[in-house]
Amino acid sequence: MVRRMTLLAVLASSTLVYAAANGAWLEKVPQSEQARPNPYARNADAVAAGALLYKRDCASCHGNQAQGIGRHPSLRTERVHKATDGDLHWLLTNGNLAHGMPSWSRLPDDQRWQLVRYLHSLPVEGPSRP
Amino acid sequence: MRRLSTLAFVFTIFLGTLSAQELPYFVTYSHHMEEPGSLDLETKTAAGTPRGGNGFGATALELEYGTTAWWTSELYLEGQKTAKDSAIFTGFRIENRIRPLMREHWINPVLYFEFENINGANKSLLEVVGHDGNDDLTGANAEGRAEKLREAEFKLILSSNAKGWNFAENIVAEKNLKHAPWEFGYALAASRPLRLEGGTRSSAFALQNFAAGAELYGGLGDRDSFGLHETSHYFGPSLNWSIPSGPTITFSPNFGLNDHSAPRLYRFGVSYEIGQVSRFFSRHHQEAR
């Protein structure tokens, strides 16, 4: 009975995380947010600062190289690369709570923009699932 | 085999340790939840000397787990040591926090449910409700221990972020499951990191690793005598330091604001986050099969 319940829980959570990784969240981003400019777009240090923030706050789920681990998607994908700075900032702020991605609104706005710069600096690799 | 698993677990803990920016609050909750699959180990210590009583130090060990991105569960184990008296276990609490709204808003509500099984000698002061006050901290441990308190507690947590600041307001309602009327309380807090930008070098003493704030909390009487009469209130500044890849250390001196309050409390906390602890168990589960 316990094993069956565990299996059900794992299946349910896998489905939820896959739903988060299919890019459906992009459709929820308001247009005004999509078009928001990154105040760190021309800041030479933003990628390095974003890399440190990534290591602290994101690597335990998405991997040290953002390659994805298990049910947590890779961030080195076409979809992340093509998303606007505003899209990614919106996702970091709001999360995708129903599908496993937490809100990072606890980070100051500046740090979320720095993280976005880092994510957009990552090379695209492999087939695009997320 | 079991020893190997234990070693692997301890190793995983140290590898997976994080130090995300925590808010410097001891009593007030914000809308920020634990990341799903992560476990936060935290101690919250309150020390002080009530008027007419002996000095005490009470510690709550908190295990906070991110069940999902919108649901956080916690277990508290509590004890205290009173000078010229004994050191005793004072009970446990189980709580759950749920975010009903799936996006960020100007004000973000969180619903909080808690069951407490503590005794009258509990001095953790994780909340102040009803007519709690200085006199509750002066009794002998043997007497307090005999008084069993099984209580349900509900909180409405409201929290906002603006320009790097967090503002949090909690409204508390607590009910002894056996008798006694509903008791009420409140907690307010605000905080801000000392620097909003992330730095380019990992330095323990970088300003963005520090956050400062203040808390104000107290009782609001009970259903039969709602209001500020014979209630206690505390105010205090607080500061925390999130050491990169290490623990977060928080300190706050609290000052009693009226004669019904203890004159001063010193709060000290250490938290240590273990990222994705659930991954170890799922791997272990797969290996076991």
Side-chain angles (χ1 to χ4, degrees):
Chain A
M1 183 64 181
V2 172
R3 182 177 284 188
R4 194 175 295 171
M5 292 296 283
T6 310
L7 194 66
L8 271 174
V10 169
L11 274 174
S13 56
S14 305
T15 312
L16 288 177
V17 173
Y18 182 77
N22 70 3
W25 62 269
L26 272 166
E27 292 166 17
K28 297 176 187 168
V29 185
Q31 278 189 344
S32 57
E33 294 290 325
Q34 282 177 349
R36 280 184 74 182
N38 188 338
Y40 286 84
R42 295 180 191 283
N43 184 315
D45 293 332
V47 173
L52 278 179
L53 293 166
Y54 177 87
K55 187 181 166 193
R56 185 185 75 180
D57 295 323
C58 316
S60 70
C61 286
H62 294 282
N64 287 332
Q65 308 300 321
Q67 76 280 15
I69 302 178
R71 298 174 287 116
H72 300 100
S74 166
L75 303 176
R76 294 170 168 252
T77 62
E78 198 71 36
R79 181 169 287 127
V80 171
H81 195 69
K82 283 184 176 169
T84 66
D85 281 3
D87 284 332
L88 295 180
H89 181 267
W90 184 89
L91 181 65
L92 288 171
T93 304
N94 291 278
N96 198 352
L97 302 188
H99 298 130
M101 169 70 181
S103 157
W104 285 97
S105 64
R106 75 172 61 180
L107 293 180
D109 210 37
D110 299 65
Q111 295 186 18
R112 275 176 270 147
W113 285 117
Q114 289 175 314
L115 258 173
V116 168
R117 278 295 309 279
Y118 172 70
L119 294 176
H120 270 153
S121 75
L122 295 169
V124 176
E125 285 176 5
S128 172
R129 180 168 73 88
Chain B
M1 188 63 189
R2 182 174 287 177
R3 192 174 295 171
L4 209 67
S5 298
T6 310
L7 274 175
F9 178 59
V10 172
F11 188 62
T12 310
I13 282 176
F14 282 95
L15 275 184
T17 299
L18 300 172
S19 182
Q21 186 73 60
E22 301 275 343
L23 297 174
Y25 305 154
F26 283 94
V27 176
T28 316
Y29 285 86
S30 74
H31 69 295
H32 302 310
M33 315 294 273
E34 186 60 34
E35 290 86 61
S38 294
L39 178 68
D40 192 55
L41 301 173
E42 187 168 355
T43 60
K44 288 179 176 176
T45 299
T49 305
R51 268 184 301 275
N54 296 323
F56 69 90
T59 294
L61 170 66
E62 176 186 358
L63 292 95
E64 183 180 52
Y65 181 72
T67 312
T68 69
W70 49 268
W71 173 15
T72 294
S73 304
E74 290 190 60
L75 169 69
Y76 285 93
L77 302 170
E78 298 170 42
Q80 59 100 329
K81 165 82 177 98
T82 299
K84 300 174 189 168
D85 204 330
S86 56
I88 57 170
F89 176 68
T90 56
F92 69 89
R93 301 165 197 242
I94 297 168
E95 60 153 80
N96 286 283
R97 300 200 307 276
I98 289 170
R99 262 186 83 156
L101 304 180
M102 295 289 123
R103 289 190 197 173
E104 287 284 305
H105 298 272
W106 278 101
I107 297 175
N108 301 283
V110 174
L111 305 175
Y112 172 109
F113 312 94
E114 180 183 277
F115 169 70
E116 302 177 7
N117 188 348
I118 58 177
N119 60 45
N122 191 293
K123 297 178 181 177
S124 303
L125 291 163
L126 294 178
E127 75 276 316
V128 173
V129 293
H131 298 285
D132 291 354
N134 182 79
D135 293 349
D136 296 309
L137 306 171
T138 56
N141 281 353
E143 286 172 21
R145 192 179 200 173
E147 185 190 358
K148 302 291 177 201
L149 301 170
R150 293 194 177 88
E151 296 175 331
E153 184 179 299
F154 304 94
K155 284 181 186 167
L156 174 62
I157 298 164
L158 303 171
S159 170
S160 317
N161 292 324
K163 299 189 183 302
W165 285 87
N166 173 262
F167 302 95
E169 307 88 34
N170 296 179
I171 300 157
V172 189
E174 188 176 274
K175 175 83 174 78
N176 188 314
L177 297 179
K178 272 189 180 167
H179 53 82
W182 283 90
E183 297 178 298
F184 304 101
Y186 70 92
L188 309 169
S191 70
R192 181 187 188 276
L194 297 192
R195 187 171 183 240
L196 299 180
E197 274 186 5
T200 54
R201 286 183 301 144
S202 180
S203 165
F205 297 101
L207 281 179
Q208 65 267 21
N209 295 330
F210 293 86
E215 276 189 287
L216 171 69
Y217 56 94
L220 292 173
D222 55 38
R223 197 189 62 180
D224 300 334
S225 57
F226 186 81
L228 298 177
H229 182 63
E230 289 188 352
T231 55
S232 59
H233 305 269
Y234 297 88
F235 174 80
S238 59
L239 181 73
N240 79 4
W241 176 30
S242 297
I243 301 169
S245 303
T248 296
I249 298 166
T250 310
F251 175 72
S252 175
N254 288 185
F255 304 96
L257 298 181
N258 60 12
D259 291 342
H260 202 64
S261 318
R264 273 183 304 281
L265 297 169
Y266 298 97
R267 292 181 178 272
F268 179 77
V270 179
S271 73
Y272 202 67
E273 187 171 308
I274 304 162
Q276 294 308 301
V277 71
S278 58
R279 197 172 288 149
F280 171 79
F281 290 109
S282 59
R283 248 200 327 258
H284 183 75
H285 178 71
Q286 283 164 6
E287 282 166 12
R289 291 177 65 195

